[in-house]
């Protein structure tokens, strides 16, 4: 697929800079650029020269011109790059002339979209381009770079191959009804399908980590009033973000702090103390706390170490949703408790005042985010990848039931076909147009 129009955009960030780059891509890229640069350099050579106003022949700027010929370019089309001085007026003037000469202003992400449509990269790589640019920390940048190099696609590809292999076997047996019975009783098939499920589980776990890296882990601090929740938020954030007083019910609204633990993004959420209250403001705060509990990836359930474990505590613990939860006893500076994990009681002792036990908390949170270095290294991922993998896995599980319990070859084949479609959505082999629009519209212009 090659586009018929030629697009142009300023590729460097807006504002002043040492160098400013304009990119042109499409069938007329070379002829349009030639009006500005006079002669073009040979393909893949850089040449220094002047950029001229094609109407008046005035020199607008001078700089480098580079030409990449289709299909060996970023977009897979003819691409010309003009590298001049990074002043907004100069770049705007150059761009204006390119548009007058017949180029169209590129939409956000359109260069990368063309790279995808022309088969230069798959969809996970295209998304990784944006994630690399947007990466807010080193770990995310590294993981985005791995996905950009095809790290994610390489993990999906053997699963697709295995899935196709299985489909071929099942579907060809369906063509010969007399063989289908034999085939369905062949334990090899169900075994292969089972193996596929295992492989999916492994990839799902890795993808979850990739999503966490991109979006950050949400950690909600909850507990009774005065337990020291806001004090803990302040300790973790390294600054006084939340108001701390000895009045029970100080925090009434949800408070957030974005922090990094060894470069990993974490959203810390401080909530109103959970108790029965007649105060409508506090009631609303408590309602919001419960919303955060539902949405959190991890819950820190905080208690004052001086207090006895009460039926109320027990009831609160029982109300917690099934997700990672760390029970923390705070204020050990007052009780003489020993900082760190008490494995016997399965609680973590800390002091939000002195910071004791905080290193253990940080390293435990890091562990929860799954930062074991995987063999091929971690890749960045998005929620839509996770959704597609979950969908594919569900279909394969359905195929397993169809094979072993229902002995229904057609049902298994249909489930596996849908599983493959879900997988193909990740790499973009099969994708709805509106999804593409959604993905590329979040890119910056010129990328
Ligand atoms: N000695 C000591 N005092 C603490 C510690 N953590 C918190 N406090 C004190 O306990 C009181 C309550 O702390 P906050 O952080 O406001 O407690 P909270 O859980 O946010 O309370 P609410 O917002 O009312 O739900 C304050 O006086 C804090 O100074 C601790 O580790 N040691
Ligand atoms: Mg508070």
């Amino acid at each position: 697929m090659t586009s018929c129009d030629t697009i142009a955009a300023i590729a460097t960030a807006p504002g002043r800079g040492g160098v400013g780059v304009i990119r042109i891509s499409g069938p007329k890229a070379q002829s349009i650029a030639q009006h500005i640069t006079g002669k073009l350099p040979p393909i893949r050579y850089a040449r220094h020269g002047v950029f001229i106003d094609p109407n008046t022949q005035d020199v607008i700027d001078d700089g480098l011109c580079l030409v990449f010929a289709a299909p060996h370019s970023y977009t897979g089309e003819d691409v010309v790059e003009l590298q001049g001085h990074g002043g907004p007026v100069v770049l705007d003037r150059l761009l204006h002339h390119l548009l007058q000469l017949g180029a169209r202003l590129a939409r956000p992400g359109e260069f990368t979209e063309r790279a995808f449509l022309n088969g230069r990269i798959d969809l996970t790589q295209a998304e990784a381009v944006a994630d690399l640019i947007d990466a807010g920390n080193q770990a995310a940048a590294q993981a985005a770079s791995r996905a950009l190099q095809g790290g994610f696609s390489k993990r999906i590809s053997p699963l697709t191959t295995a899935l196709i292999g299985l489909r071929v076997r099942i579907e060809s047996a369906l063509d010969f009804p007399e063989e289908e019975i034999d085939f369905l009783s062949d334990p090899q098939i169900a075994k292969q399908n089972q193996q596929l499920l295992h492989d999916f589980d492994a990839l799902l776990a890795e993808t979850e980590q990739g999503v966490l890296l991109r979006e950050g882990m949400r950690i909600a601090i909850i507990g009774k009033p005065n337990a020291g929740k806001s004090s803990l938020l302040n300790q973790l954030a390294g600054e006084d973000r939340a108001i701390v007083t000895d009045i029970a019910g100080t925090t009434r609204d949800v408070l957030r702090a974005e922090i990094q633990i060894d470069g990993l993004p974490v959203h810390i959420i401080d909530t109103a103390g959970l108790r029965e209250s007649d105060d409508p403001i506090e009631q609303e705060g408590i309602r919001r706390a419960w919303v955060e509990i539902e949405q959190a990836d991890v819950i820190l359930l905080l208690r004052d170490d001086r207090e006895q474990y009460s039926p109320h505590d027990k009831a609160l613990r029982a109300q917690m949703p099934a997700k990672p939860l760390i029970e923390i006893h705070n204020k050990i500076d007052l009780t003489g408790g020993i900082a760190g994990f008490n494995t016997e009681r399965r609680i973590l002792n800390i002091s939000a005042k002195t910071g004791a036990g905080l290193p253990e908390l940080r390293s435990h949170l890091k562990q929860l985010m799954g930062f074991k270095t995987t063999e091929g290294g971690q890749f960045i991922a998005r929620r839509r990848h996770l959704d597609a993998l979950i969908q594919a896995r569900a279909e394969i599980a359905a195929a397993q039931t169809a094979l072993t319990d229902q002995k229904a070859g057609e049902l298994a084949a249909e489930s596996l076909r849908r599983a493959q479609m879900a997988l193909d959505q990740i790499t973009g082999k099969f994708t709805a147009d509106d999804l593409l629009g959604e993905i590329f519209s979040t890119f910056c212009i010129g990328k």
Side-chain angles (χ1 to χ4, degrees):
M1 127 124 229
T2 344
S3 317
C4 49
D5 59 350
T6 298
I7 53 173
I10 300 170
T12 36
R16 297 170 343 138
V19 179
V21 176
I22 290 187
R23 256 189 179 164
I24 317 159
S25 178
K28 292 206 297 185
Q30 296 199 40
S31 64
I32 290 174
Q34 204 166 4
H35 283 93
I36 304 276
T37 60
K39 210 170 147 219
L40 287 178
I43 306 300
R44 290 176 167 265
Y45 277 82
R47 177 180 290 152
H48 181 258
V50 290
F51 304 149
I52 49 173
D53 178 331
N55 306 321
T56 62
Q57 305 300 309
D58 284 345
V59 172
I60 300 174
D61 193 7
D62 72 286
L64 291 180
C65 175
L66 287 119
V67 180
F68 303 88
H72 304 291
S73 70
Y74 181 69
T75 58
E77 307 170 335
D78 277 0
V79 170
V80 179
E81 264 187 38
L82 303 178
Q83 308 187 351
H85 294 93
V89 177
V90 182
L91 291 171
D92 277 346
R93 261 182 93 187
L94 280 173
L95 184 61
H96 169 78
H97 290 301
L98 294 172
L99 301 184
Q100 265 196 342
L101 290 163
R104 167 172 72 71
L105 191 63
R107 293 190 305 269
E110 198 171 0
F111 291 92
T112 309
E113 185 174 8
R114 287 187 174 196
F116 164 68
L117 292 173
N118 289 324
R120 300 288 293 168
I121 51 176
D122 71 21
L123 202 49
T124 66
Q125 290 173 299
E127 292 171 311
V129 170
D131 291 340
L132 184 58
I133 292 173
D134 292 338
N137 61 75
Q138 246 190 54
Q142 185 66 51
S145 172
R146 279 206 200 91
L148 180 55
Q149 301 309 316
F152 192 8
S153 324
K154 275 184 209 133
R155 291 285 284 108
I156 293 173
S157 157
L159 292 189
T160 312
T161 310
L163 196 53
I164 292 172
L166 207 54
R167 281 189 64 194
V168 168
R169 286 192 67 178
I170 294 178
E171 282 176 23
S172 53
L174 292 179
D175 289 340
F176 300 97
E178 64 281 6
E179 286 176 25
E180 189 190 339
I181 312 300
D182 289 349
F183 160 82
L184 283 172
S185 51
D186 178 359
Q188 252 341 84
I189 295 288
K191 218 170 131 191
Q192 276 181 23
N193 202 50
Q194 191 61 41
Q195 178 60 41
L196 204 53
L197 276 177
H198 281 306
D199 295 344
F200 260 86
D201 287 339
L203 182 58
L204 262 170
E206 280 180 62
T207 307
E208 266 168 16
Q209 301 310 316
V211 174
L212 274 184
L213 255 184
R214 183 169 181 270
E215 297 182 357
M217 180 163 66
R218 295 168 68 96
I219 299 173
I221 308 175
I222 64 155
K224 285 196 290 191
N226 263 346
K229 300 178 292 297
S230 300
S231 306
L232 178 57
L233 172 90
N234 290 345
Q235 267 287 353
L236 287 168
E239 57 181 322
D240 275 345
R241 297 292 293 272
I243 300 173
V244 168
T245 74
D246 54 7
I247 303 166
T250 303
T251 308
R252 296 168 154 214
D253 212 341
V254 173
L255 265 164
R256 296 164 206 282
E258 311 297 317
I259 66 160
Q260 290 189 11
I261 299 178
D262 289 352
L264 307 171
V266 175
H267 312 280
I268 306 276
I269 299 148
D270 177 24
T271 59
L274 301 172
R275 67 168 169 187
E276 296 294 324
S277 167
D278 296 330
D279 179 350
I281 302 174
E282 198 177 351
Q283 280 174 352
E284 176 59 17
I286 292 169
R287 192 192 64 80
R288 291 180 187 204
W290 279 105
V291 173
E292 295 303 329
I293 291 170
E294 287 304 323
Q295 291 179 350
D297 296 307
V298 177
I299 296 167
L300 305 186
L301 178 55
L302 212 58
R303 297 185 56 232
D304 189 326
D305 196 37
R306 291 173 299 182
E307 285 179 17
Q308 290 296 321
Y309 197 76
S310 68
H312 177 263
D313 289 315
K314 200 175 168 196
L316 192 61
R317 180 70 184 82
Q319 272 176 285
M320 290 300 135
K323 58 175 79 177
L325 179 146
I326 310 175
E327 282 197 63
I328 299 178
H329 282 199
N330 186 30
K331 311 195 188 184
I332 55 163
D333 54 298
L334 298 177
T335 61
I338 298 163
F341 271 100
N342 179 331
T343 35
E344 202 180 304
R345 291 173 63 200
R346 296 172 61 197
I347 52 163
L348 176 66
N349 281 333
I350 67 160
S351 165
K353 187 174 180 181
T354 65
L358 266 287
E360 286 87 348
L361 176 58
R362 287 196 188 89
S363 77
H364 190 67
L365 288 174
K366 232 178 87 179
Q367 214 182 320
L368 277 179
M369 278 175 92
F371 283 92
K372 38 189 185 292
T373 31
T374 45
E375 212 168 273
Q378 194 138 37
F379 50 79
I380 208 151
R382 300 183 173 207
R383 204 150 287 273
R384 76 162 196 96
H385 302 146
L386 204 54
D387 292 344
L389 280 177
I390 290 169
Q391 196 188 334
R393 197 207 177 276
E395 292 292 352
I396 296 169
Q400 183 73 3
T401 314
L403 285 172
T404 52
D405 300 352
Q406 298 161 298
K407 307 276 180 216
E410 285 97 347
L411 289 183
E414 175 56 17
S415 288
L416 292 179
R417 187 188 68 81
R418 285 205 291 256
Q420 195 186 338
M421 263 175 67
L423 266 192
D424 285 350
Q425 274 178 25
I426 300 178
T427 51
K429 244 182 252 162
F430 165 83
T431 322
D433 281 350
D434 48 349
L435 173 69
L436 287 186
E438 204 179 293
I439 290 172
F440 288 105
S441 64
T442 62
F443 276 56
C444 40
I445 293 222
K447 192 65 230 180

